[in-house]
Amino acid sequence: MSRQILLGDEAVALGAVHAGLSAAYSYPGTPASEIMEYLVRLSAESRAFAAVWSVNEKVAYEEALGASFAGKRAMVSFKHVGLNVAADPFMNSAITGANGGLLAVSADDPGMHSSQNEQDSRFYVQFAQIPGFEPSDHQEAYDMAREAFDLSEKFGLPVLMRLVTRLSHSRSAVETREARPQNELKKGTGKDWILLPGNARGRFSQLLDRQAEMVRCSEESRFNRLELNAGDRSFGVIASGIAYNYFREAVAGDAAPPSFLKISTYPLPESLVRRLVAHVDKVLVLEDGYPFIERQVRGLFGVPGKTVLGRASGDVPASGELTPDIVRRALGLGPLPALPVSGLPLANRPPQLCAGCPHADTFKALNKALEGRAGASVFGDIGCYTLGALPPFNAINSCVCMGASISMARGASDAGLHPAVSVIGDSTFAHSGITPLLGAARADADMTVIILDNATTAMTGGQPTYGSGQPLLRLIEGLGVPKEHIRTIEPLPKNHETNVRIIRDEIEHRGLSVIVAVRECIQEQRKKRS
């Protein structure tokens, strides 16, 4: 046993390794990237397990499921919107079940620090009807990884752990445990993994039959905690995940804190919830994310004789992260004393592309090429190049989800819009852009796709990309894009006029064209020089 200072992400990763992890898969995305970054480093040092950046989250989940099928303990991690990409195999794995322990980690981003939305992954636990964990601190993140594998192997089901940004990206001391050996290879039961309807119906029925057992397991979990204040039956608190820490901080000096129930496992521990609600007249639910627990406690029309407060009632802000101050206000307490901060106030600085970024020169050439074309629309995608939507470029008109730039440009083209231009990064293209480009090529859609090939997954820190260089050009041609309309440009100021001419030529072509802007990420160049 040792004591280490770890990020929340690192605590989960190390917990999984010490629990006998054999294989881990991920696609980068804030705030989950550091899980795989840490595993890649450990794997390079020990060669004891596989740690793989996958082409996207769906592929990552399926790779982990395959490792589980072989009897090994496997983990897959991604940010919350990545779980949407992996939702198909995730939901179906609740029916196939797991063989070796299978842990899926989804890191939510309340407050949308670096995300398109702030969805709550706990709904996926309920949706799939599998066990789930929500650590309140770093020690629990480490400990829960081991228990998640044990629970997965006990029920023969995947287990989902939900993190939030504030836990993923903060550091704290963690007491580690002795590492245990990996599982031996043991092939899964063949029939269980074939989801033909006749077999799937039986498997789903078995999943439903085990729900009561899962609830009992949650009620007995050491990660849940109920404390009743016998002297005060007026008010109680339910706090889940990191919100529990905020609650404990808020009442730290209170000699007789209100009754509370800490929830860190799912499905909801029903008997514990009923005991708290029966003990008090009014319940405040503190949870970072959607009012997931609050709505279940309240039910459709409320609890007779009881008042349930939380995000849905408006007593806690409906969106954004919880903070200790927000929790204190919800508890009717004043703000904690704050230390005065000396020095000059920092000016606000909006996010922007790095100085020398190749995307800047591409956007300048694209804007010039589109001058005078009032009906033009540029469909953007997920990556650092999304910042091209901001001044001084104002070059992008949409950003929805991974790969949507190509699909949306195709739809706009079908609707008669011209020019319809898509801008997508090389990693995002490999993640979700290949299939819509295949459809556009088959239809010879009247649109232009610009792939920004900077040879890395830049936005999340420079992870490897699967779609760069000559293999990318061969892939585009293989999808059916006419070779004469696959063009490359080098986005540098000295090439501006040439690049403008090439983009104009391809926009004027009434059919599909693809332009690949090739220049390495400026940050990756600096790393190589240092």
Side-chain angles (χ1 to χ4, degrees):
M1 179 177 290
S2 66
R3 187 174 175 84
Q4 299 189 36
I5 305 297
L6 298 171
L7 287 174
D9 279 351
E10 294 171 343
V12 175
L14 188 59
V17 172
H18 288 174
L21 179 75
S22 292
Y25 305 90
S26 181
Y27 183 82
T30 304
S33 301
E34 288 80 2
I35 297 173
M36 181 54 70
E37 296 279 5
Y38 190 74
L39 290 173
V40 166
R41 289 199 298 274
L42 292 185
S43 175
E45 293 167 5
S46 67
R47 304 289 181 187
F49 59 91
V52 178
W53 287 113
S54 305
V55 71
N56 66 29
E57 295 87 350
K58 177 178 184 292
V59 171
Y61 198 96
E62 291 159 350
E63 289 167 339
L65 189 58
S68 170
F69 175 79
K72 296 286 189 174
R73 297 189 183 107
M75 183 168 74
V76 57
S77 58
F78 29 61
K79 66 183 299 178
H80 60 302
V81 290
L83 181 51
N84 298 338
V85 179
D88 198 359
F90 170 75
M91 291 300 297
N92 289 332
S93 69
I95 309 299
T96 63
N99 188 23
L102 177 57
L103 171 59
V105 182
S106 181
D108 290 359
D109 190 17
M112 291 180 272
H113 295 282
S114 183
S115 306
Q116 311 97 297
N117 66 40
E118 57 175 41
Q119 70 189 51
D120 191 324
S121 294
R122 293 177 297 172
F123 285 93
Y124 271 107
V125 174
Q126 189 180 54
F127 194 18
Q129 304 190 77
I130 61 172
F133 284 108
E134 186 184 15
S136 63
D137 59 27
H138 301 66
Q139 186 66 54
E140 285 193 345
Y142 174 87
D143 293 337
M144 283 179 176
R146 183 180 295 240
E147 297 219 8
F149 283 123
D150 292 343
L151 200 62
S152 174
E153 291 176 357
K154 173 184 176 180
F155 282 102
L157 291 170
V159 173
L160 182 70
M161 183 190 296
R162 182 226 191 192
L163 301 177
V164 293
T165 304
R166 200 59 57 177
L167 180 57
S168 291
H169 285 176
S170 60
R171 290 188 182 275
S172 184
V174 173
E175 297 283 350
T176 63
R177 300 165 63 182
E178 185 176 349
R180 65 185 183 188
Q182 298 179 20
N183 286 354
E184 298 294 327
L185 277 173
K186 181 184 176 185
K187 187 177 175 181
T189 304
K191 189 178 177 183
D192 293 347
W193 296 74
I194 302 170
L195 294 188
L196 287 167
N199 193 40
R201 291 188 197 104
R203 295 289 301 171
F204 185 52
S205 179
Q206 292 174 29
L207 177 65
L208 297 180
D209 288 343
R210 305 203 70 180
Q211 293 303 304
E213 186 182 358
M214 289 183 213
V215 172
R216 285 196 299 274
C217 189
S218 181
E219 289 168 342
E220 296 167 358
S221 169
R222 69 185 176 96
F223 298 115
N224 297 326
R225 181 179 171 192
L226 174 65
E227 289 193 11
L228 301 179
N229 183 338
D232 182 2
R233 301 180 68 96
S234 63
F235 178 68
V237 172
I238 297 176
S240 70
I242 199 168
Y244 173 70
N245 270 346
Y246 299 152
F247 166 69
R248 296 298 295 175
E249 180 179 335
V251 301
D254 192 340
S259 301
F260 71 88
L261 171 61
K262 169 185 181 286
I263 294 180
S264 288
T265 66
Y266 301 94
L268 281 182
E270 293 177 4
S271 67
L272 300 181
V273 173
R274 291 183 191 281
R275 286 174 60 189
L276 178 74
V277 173
H279 185 75
V280 299
D281 298 326
K282 183 186 297 184
V283 177
L284 172 67
V285 183
L286 300 170
E287 45 193 334
D288 211 7
Y290 288 10
F292 175 75
I293 297 173
E294 180 187 352
R295 285 174 178 163
Q296 293 184 71
V297 173
R298 182 195 300 274
L300 189 58
F301 299 111
V303 184
K306 307 289 182 178
T307 302
V308 181
L309 310 174
R311 288 184 182 269
S313 72
D315 293 274
V316 178
S319 65
E321 284 186 298
L322 290 181
T323 67
D325 284 341
I326 289 175
V327 169
R328 285 185 66 86
R329 282 199 298 274
L331 291 167
L333 303 172
L336 291 169
L339 294 173
V341 178
S342 60
L344 296 173
L346 295 175
N348 288 328
R349 193 184 73 167
Q352 56 186 315
L353 294 174
C354 304
C357 174
H359 303 334
D361 291 300
T362 301
F363 285 133
K364 289 174 185 174
L366 175 60
N367 282 346
K368 185 69 175 178
L370 291 174
E371 278 184 359
R373 298 175 182 271
S377 284
V378 178
F379 298 90
D381 224 299
I382 307 293
C384 52
Y385 51 88
T386 311
L387 297 173
L390 302 177
F393 307 106
N394 301 308
I396 290 175
N397 304 118
S398 74
C399 173
V400 177
C401 62
M402 299 287 278
S405 63
I406 298 178
S407 319
M408 292 177 69
R410 163 75 189 280
S413 171
D414 289 347
L417 187 145
H418 182 85
V421 180
S422 160
V423 176
I424 185 170
D426 53 335
S427 183
T428 311
F429 175 72
H431 178 288
S432 293
I434 294 173
T435 43
L437 185 60
L438 176 61
R442 178 63 64 90
D444 194 22
D446 186 9
M447 56 186 278
T448 299
V449 176
I450 299 176
I451 301 176
L452 306 172
D453 180 3
N454 63 359
T456 189
T457 309
M459 186 170 70
T460 48
Q463 292 82 11
T465 173
Y466 286 84
S468 181
Q470 288 299 316
L472 172 61
L473 296 174
R474 291 196 295 271
L475 174 62
I476 296 167
E477 186 179 354
L479 291 173
V481 180
K483 191 171 184 179
E484 63 272 23
H485 291 292
I486 303 173
R487 309 287 295 275
T488 60
I489 63 173
E490 185 181 20
L492 285 168
K494 68 179 182 180
N495 299 329
H496 178 72
E497 293 302 326
T498 301
N499 294 342
V500 171
R501 177 178 53 78
I502 291 173
I503 295 172
R504 278 183 181 151
D505 287 348
E506 296 309 324
I507 286 174
E508 288 171 1
H509 164 63
R510 299 310 297 253
L512 179 63
S513 57
V514 176
I515 300 169
V516 183
V518 183
R519 196 180 129 209
E520 187 177 19
C521 170
I522 192 76
Q523 297 297 340
E524 293 304 301
Q525 286 184 339
R526 288 172 179 160
K527 287 179 188 175
K528 291 175 182 175
R529 291 194 201 109
S530 61

